[in-house]
Amino acid sequence: MNNVKKQFSIRDLENLSGIKAHTIRIWEKRYNLLSPERTDTNIRTYSLSSLQKLLNVTLLYNNGHKISKIAKISNHDITYVVKEIVAKHSQKSQAINAFKLAMVNFDQTMFFNTYNALLQENSFREIFKETFVPLLNELGLLWQTDTISPAHEHFISSLIKQKILLNTEKLQHLEPTKKDKIFVAFLPENEIHDIGLLYINYEIILKGYKCIYLGPTIPMENLEDVLKYFDDIYFVSYFTVFPEKDRINKYLEDFSALVSNYNNPNFWILGRQTHFIDEKTKPNFCKTFHSIDSLVSNL
């Protein structure tokens, strides 16, 4: 069972807020902004409420408020001041901080308010590329350093997926305008990291193509059924963790055998595991991409 993290080190605070540990200590000493506890070995630890306060303080500070003025705002009122700023402004740096604050607080309302404020000045595509992608990259590092818990990551990832699905659904009632390719989007068995693939599915449909979205952890033999129904299939997948680096070339070999009787097989792949593909043995019908943008430019 995943436990929500409730105690944070000063390094955790630095990682989440972007404020250097040295500066946090100065604010703590000079303005009494935070009240850390001490371990038996005299190491500072901070509660979840301290982290929440620091994220609020950081958002105000980055928005031009002087730290001396922020220190005079009560803990009760600081939340309202922050929400007013989030409602009025949609700068991307502020939005990322607001999304992190929403994540730490498990605050869906703040997430939606921040997203809707961004949407007034940006398209969904711009929000995803310029705000969600940097946010997700940060969350990956925060999770790896144990700064946030899996519960936090799942919470914010689910909300982002919800927005991708919502925007995809708006397009799906339209008849595809391009008939030269049929895309089949799937993740290999045991691969569950589907945000990237969900967004690629959105881009494919936006470009006017039909995309059959199969989703995560699909056994390879299940793909054979799709081959019976369509010509000019382009399989698309995102290898984040699986296949593992010592099995990825065997996976492509097996895939090649699967489509050996198909007239025009195509397989587009991206994700960090593609770095372990042996270019000398890679099937000719396989094409790797280093980013979503590079794949989209080939649609």
Side-chain angles (χ1 to χ4, degrees):
M1 183 176 180
N2 294 329
N3 295 316
V4 177
K5 188 170 180 176
K6 295 181 179 179
Q7 294 295 322
F8 301 85
S9 69
I10 196 164
R11 291 300 172 192
D12 291 337
L13 267 61
E14 179 180 87
N15 290 337
L16 274 163
S17 69
I19 303 296
K20 295 295 185 183
H22 174 69
T23 303
I24 294 172
R25 291 191 187 98
I26 291 174
W27 289 358
E28 185 183 304
K29 184 176 181 180
R30 188 174 297 171
Y31 301 107
N32 295 316
L33 273 177
L34 303 175
S35 300
E37 298 176 358
R38 298 274 183 172
T39 65
D40 294 339
T41 54
N42 204 36
I43 296 174
R44 287 179 175 86
T45 64
Y46 297 84
S47 65
L48 180 58
S49 61
S50 290
L51 171 59
Q52 292 165 350
K53 182 176 181 179
L54 180 62
L55 288 173
N56 280 327
V57 167
T58 303
L59 193 145
L60 295 178
Y61 182 72
N62 290 339
N63 202 54
H65 291 249
K66 292 183 178 180
I67 193 65
S68 57
K69 300 288 186 182
I70 299 171
K72 295 176 181 178
I73 304 174
S74 70
N75 290 342
H76 179 267
D77 290 339
I78 198 170
T79 303
Y80 293 102
V81 178
V82 165
K83 287 185 177 180
E84 285 179 3
I85 289 176
V86 170
K88 290 179 181 178
H89 302 281
S90 62
Q91 286 93 337
K92 294 170 183 63
S93 60
Q94 293 175 0
I96 290 174
N97 209 29
F99 283 134
K100 285 193 286 186
L101 189 60
M103 174 192 66
V104 171
N105 289 321
F106 296 104
D107 188 340
Q108 291 184 146
T109 302
M110 175 169 271
F111 177 91
F112 291 129
N113 286 343
T114 305
Y115 176 82
N116 289 334
L118 282 171
L119 201 57
Q120 291 180 17
E121 300 176 10
N122 303 273
S123 67
F124 168 70
R125 295 177 80 228
E126 290 170 331
I127 294 172
F128 185 85
K129 292 179 181 180
E130 298 173 17
T131 305
F132 284 159
V133 169
L135 174 66
L136 290 166
N137 288 338
E138 273 199 58
L139 295 187
L141 295 172
L142 294 173
W143 186 84
Q144 289 171 26
T145 57
D146 200 32
T147 302
I148 60 173
S149 73
H152 287 117
E153 185 187 28
H154 290 316
F155 172 76
I156 203 76
S157 296
S158 294
L159 290 173
I160 292 173
K161 288 179 191 178
Q162 186 176 322
K163 290 304 177 187
I164 300 172
L165 291 168
L166 178 66
N167 283 276
T168 302
E169 186 179 3
K170 291 176 183 178
L171 302 172
Q172 285 176 322
H173 72 281
L174 301 172
E175 188 68 23
T177 58
K178 298 178 180 177
K179 311 290 186 180
D180 58 311
K181 301 182 184 75
I182 298 288
F183 289 90
V184 177
F186 77 99
L187 295 182
E189 204 161 4
N190 299 314
E191 180 62 78
I192 60 172
H193 299 83
D194 58 346
I195 284 184
L197 192 71
L198 280 169
Y199 183 74
I200 289 168
N201 178 53
Y202 164 80
E203 285 280 4
I204 290 170
I205 297 171
L206 183 66
K207 291 287 186 180
Y209 289 102
K210 179 183 181 68
C211 186
I212 301 165
Y213 187 84
L214 301 182
T217 192
I218 300 297
M220 188 181 293
E221 58 268 23
N222 290 174
L223 302 175
E224 195 169 9
D225 294 330
V226 185
L227 291 167
K228 299 173 184 176
Y229 287 85
F230 302 100
D231 297 321
D232 299 314
I233 286 180
Y234 282 66
F235 289 100
V236 182
S237 197
Y238 211 117
F239 293 177
T240 303
V241 177
F242 291 94
E244 294 153 315
K245 62 181 182 179
D246 57 344
R247 300 184 64 184
I248 192 166
N249 293 299
K250 179 64 165 63
Y251 184 90
L252 294 182
E253 181 184 328
D254 292 343
F255 192 95
S256 186
L258 178 79
V259 299
S260 59
N261 294 323
Y262 190 72
N263 290 332
N264 182 32
N266 292 276
F267 194 10
W268 289 6
I269 316 165
L270 70 169
R272 61 172 175 254
Q273 293 301 93
T274 58
H275 296 299
F276 302 110
I277 292 175
D278 185 348
E279 292 295 324
K280 295 178 181 178
T281 61
K282 184 179 75 173
N284 292 330
F285 60 79
C286 288
K287 188 171 185 177
T288 56
F289 299 87
H290 297 299
S291 69
I292 291 176
D293 282 344
S294 62
L295 185 147
V296 171
S297 67
N298 277 263
L299 291 174

